Structures are given as C-alpha cells and as structure tokens.
Amino acid sequence: MKLAKSLQNIKPSYIREILSAANSQGIISLAGGLPDQASFPLSLMQDSLSNLTNHPSLFQYGSTAGYAPLLEYFKQHYQLPSSHEGLVCTGSQQGLDLIARAFINPNDKIVMEAPSYLGAIQVFGLAQAKIESVSQQADGPNLQELEACFAQGGITLFYAVPDFHNPTGVCWSLAVRQKVAQLCQQYDVTLIEDVPYRELRFSGEEIPLVSNFCPDHSLVLRSFSKIATPGIRLGLVTGRADWITPLNTVKQAADLHSSIPMQAVLLDLLQHKEFPDHLERLRKLYRERCQTLIDNITHQLPSYCRINKVEGGMFLWLLLPDCNIDALAKAALTSGVAVVPSSVFYQETNCTTSALRLNFTNANEEELAEAVQRLAKVIKEHC
Ligand SMILES: Cc1ncc(COP(=O)(O)O)c(C=O)c1O
C-alpha cells in the first residue's frame, strides 16, 4: 500500500527509536523523558488496584468524556468555570492529536516556539499544518516575533509549553504570560497550553497558567505521566464546552474512551492523603539530581558549554559551540551515553543551535556524574 501523503514527511521520533539502544547494557541514558521508576507511587495505588476486581462495572464500556467521579474531581480541583468541561484522554499526547484532528485543516497556519516538543511537531505535521516558528528566549517566546506572526492573520492556534519547556526547561515569566494572553485575545488565536511538567517545580514561586488570563481563548492539556506513572496513559484536556464537544466526537472515533479502571485508580491516587508527600519527595529528588548534573557539567565540561538554570521539569539544555550535533550525539551513544541532539526539536532544517537535551530524572547521581564524564571526552573531540 502507498503511504498517506500526510505521513510522507513525518520523521519517526528519534527519541523513541534510540530508546532500545539507550536501554542497552552499559549505556547511561539522559535521552528519554522518563520519570524515576523507583519513585512511582505504586504503594499508594496498591489498595485501589487490588480492589478493582470488586467493581466489575469499571471494566464495562464507559463514557467517552471519562469516568464521571474523576471528571467531577477535576472540575473542583482545577476550579473550572461553569462554562468549561474536561475530557480524559489516553495521555496528554492523545489530547493534542484530538485537537489537531478537530480544529486543523491541511495548510492551516499554527504557531510554535522553536525549539519545540517533538511529539507536537509530529502531530501538527500529520495534520499537514503549516508551522510558523517563533524563537524562544530565557523568559518565554520572543513577543515581537509572536505579535508579527499573529498580525499576519489566519493563525489557527499557538501551541506552547510555558512550564519547564521540553526541551529547554524554560519557564515563562508572569509578564510574558499576561502579554501572550492579551495577544491571543486581541488576534483571536487559541492558545494550546501543554503543562505536563507544571507540578514538578522544585524552586521559585508558582506562576499562574497563561490560560487564567484568557480562559475562553485556550485549551489546557494536563498529563498524569510525570506525577503518577506514564504507563497508565492518562491525560486531561479542559476548556470551553463548545470546544470540548468536537474533541469528544473525535475521541469516539479514535478509541471510544480511555481505560476506566485506570481512571478509578488515578482518582484514588490523587485523593490519597499521602499524595502531596509523594509530590514533595519527587520534587526534592529531581532538585537534587538536577543540581548534581549542573555541578558535574560545571566541573567537567569545557567552559564554552552553557546551561540555563531551571526551576523544575526534567531537562537541561546544554548549549555548545557550532558543531555537527547529530554526529556528536551518535558518538556519545558509542561512548556509552545517550542524549538528544537539538536538531530533533526543530522542523526540517531550521536548527541553527547546537545543543543537547539532557534528562536528569531517570539516572541516579553516580550515573549522572559518569554520563557527564563520558560526554566531556566526546564534546572535546567534536567542538
Ligand atoms: C511537552 C509534552 N507534552 C506532552 C507529552 C506527552 O505526555 P503523556 O505521557 O501525557 O502523553 C510530553 C511527554 O513527554 C511532553 O513533554
């Protein structure tokens, strides 16, 4: 069979492709966005999991929008306005896909920061959208570029990860959030606010969601992969009811509904009295690992390697002098450390930054130190 046109220009995910190589014996992986497995809150889920068999109705077909008690919890917990609804999806990745299918026609213009989350580049590529890139600064997108882009007209949506961006770790300032919200309202552009790392703030002050400043011009995507476990594959889209309804229609066609037993387990977990302690422990662990990685980079890598300090999330963005970053990442893998080159996070050949995305949540402190030592040799050879 011939490949559909929509698939012909889509690169398979570099990260998913090297995941098996990265998991080989002797390789230390800073490549995937994997949470620390030893910290999965399985003990808090245990009663709920073993109780499932007492509730056969949870194993019946369920509602597309999600398990009703969980949806009710979300409405309260996230203080959704009465005109807004939630839709539980199979990971926030599915939420993004549903949005693209419901609201994007081929050649529609959408805006993203560059660099950007690879999974979003793939989704918008499959939807055959025209992606307009806006450069990213230390406190969020370049606002002049963003306004110029919006002012051309015909922009369907602006996709953004304002909290601890993947891949750069950047967190938007309050002023940038307010300005972006104002621009979305002024130019009637919908913001897709993707916040899978929001609960992983380990320093600094919490900043309101951008959507708080433009609730009727935004959809929020949340993920439970990083604070519960990725394997339960649960996420949430919230926003205006008239925008959630079409997402529900697309989801009916995609998979009918997400796993109801897992949604029941998630609800128990989120309401567990020890869940806040679990989050606190996770933040502390990630703060320590992040600091270990920074200390090792500072002591072991040449001074031309630069990093932005991050206040949360899972990644550091290591900026290098101009070099063949793909060759460097390959050489790093051969030397026993898996990292992701910056080229992966840009559309086609737009990558002008030589950088590596380094994950600090999955390797322990000794492994992080050893990984940087291996990386140091490769960087000195390539830069
Ligand atoms: C920015 C961003 N959005 C969405 C996702 C997908 O998350 P989920 O596991 O909820 O599908 C990820 C995963 O790493 C991500 O980094």
Side-chain angles (χ1 to χ4, degrees):
M1 267 202 296
K2 257 195 179 167
L3 270 189
K5 280 199 191 113
S6 59
L7 199 54
Q8 284 170 4
N9 294 323
I10 305 293
K11 305 187 265 192
S13 156
Y14 172 90
I15 301 164
R16 300 216 71 81
E17 289 204 329
I18 68 152
L19 219 52
S20 63
N23 286 337
S24 321
Q25 205 156 24
I27 304 281
I28 301 173
S29 179
L30 312 188
L34 305 190
D36 179 53
Q37 194 164 311
S39 303
F40 287 167
L42 299 179
S43 62
L44 307 187
M45 294 158 78
Q46 197 152 15
D47 286 351
S48 183
L49 282 165
S50 50
N51 214 0
L52 280 177
T53 48
N54 297 325
H55 300 281
S57 64
L58 293 173
F59 292 84
Q60 189 53 277
Y61 281 117
S63 146
T64 301
Y67 177 52
L70 181 64
L71 282 170
E72 193 45 47
Y73 168 86
F74 288 146
K75 274 193 176 164
Q76 305 298 330
H77 187 75
Y78 297 123
Q79 300 180 335
L80 299 187
S82 59
S83 57
H84 284 204
E85 297 281 350
L87 174 79
V88 175
C89 40
T90 303
S92 62
Q93 185 68 28
Q94 186 191 43
L96 194 54
D97 186 48
L98 299 178
I99 291 170
R101 294 205 218 182
F103 297 109
I104 297 178
N105 291 307
N107 295 317
D108 276 1
K109 284 194 269 182
I110 65 120
V111 182
M112 297 172 93
E113 287 177 292
S116 207
Y117 167 51
L118 172 62
I121 298 177
Q122 283 184 312
V123 164
F124 295 129
L126 274 171
Q128 300 180 64
K130 279 209 171 117
I131 304 179
E132 308 255 328
S133 297
V134 167
S135 59
Q136 192 186 55
Q137 301 178 326
D139 59 351
N142 179 314
L143 294 172
Q144 284 77 34
E145 285 180 33
L146 188 69
E147 178 154 19
C149 215
F150 284 7
Q152 304 163 40
I155 303 292
T156 306
L157 57 84
F158 174 33
Y159 168 81
V161 183
D163 290 294
F164 320 121
H165 187 262
N166 177 1
T168 61
V170 161
C171 184
W172 295 10
S173 67
L174 178 62
V176 166
R177 286 168 195 246
Q178 287 168 330
K179 182 67 186 171
V180 169
Q182 181 243 306
L183 291 175
C184 285
Q185 287 167 318
Q186 181 180 342
Y187 293 98
D188 197 19
V189 172
T190 303
L191 172 73
I192 308 302
E193 186 169 19
D194 189 9
V195 293
Y197 305 103
R198 187 164 169 83
E199 287 83 2
L200 298 183
R201 172 179 285 283
F202 46 68
S203 66
E205 293 290 308
E206 191 174 305
I207 311 177
L209 287 173
V210 185
S211 317
N212 280 11
F213 305 112
C214 56
D216 288 336
H217 274 83
S218 51
L219 285 167
V220 180
L221 283 166
R222 296 176 192 270
S223 168
F224 300 96
S225 296
K226 320 297 180 190
I227 57 171
T229 82
I232 60 172
R233 303 305 306 127
L234 289 175
L236 174 73
V237 196
T238 57
R240 286 163 47 163
D242 60 332
W243 289 351
I244 297 295
T245 304
L247 298 182
N248 189 306
T249 309
V250 182
K251 185 165 166 71
Q252 288 168 20
D255 66 353
L256 303 182
H257 63 77
S258 301
S259 163
I260 304 292
M262 284 303 115
Q263 292 184 57
V265 170
L266 177 65
L267 176 61
D268 286 348
L269 175 67
L270 297 174
Q271 292 181 314
H272 197 293
K273 64 178 188 328
E274 289 172 33
F275 188 66
D277 296 340
H278 156 69
L279 285 184
E280 226 14 83
R281 272 196 302 276
L282 203 58
R283 293 185 191 115
K284 179 170 177 290
L285 178 73
Y286 291 173
R287 177 172 51 240
E288 286 164 1
R289 287 189 176 173
C290 179
Q291 195 54 51
T292 301
L293 184 56
I294 292 174
D295 292 346
N296 279 283
I297 287 172
T298 313
H299 294 125
Q300 299 194 54
L301 295 191
S303 58
Y304 54 69
C305 299
R306 287 180 296 120
I307 38 164
N308 301 330
K309 284 231 162 142
V310 299
E311 295 191 332
M314 294 189 157
F315 307 109
L316 282 181
W317 188 237
L318 180 70
L319 284 159
L320 302 172
D322 215 7
C323 64
N324 181 340
I325 199 70
D326 293 330
L328 193 154
K330 269 197 193 128
L333 193 57
T334 312
S335 304
V337 54
V339 290
V340 188
S342 46
S343 52
V344 162
F345 304 104
Y346 291 81
Q347 294 179 74
E348 293 152 13
T349 51
N350 279 355
C351 177
T352 50
T353 306
S354 293
L356 297 173
R357 188 190 76 175
L358 308 179
N359 166 266
F360 54 77
T361 58
N362 191 241
N364 64 31
E365 302 208 354
E366 294 78 62
E367 289 166 334
L368 287 169
E370 175 63 28
V372 176
Q373 203 169 350
R374 293 178 190 179
L375 207 50
K377 278 199 202 121
V378 181
I379 289 177
K380 283 173 198 157
E381 279 162 20
H382 278 74
C383 297

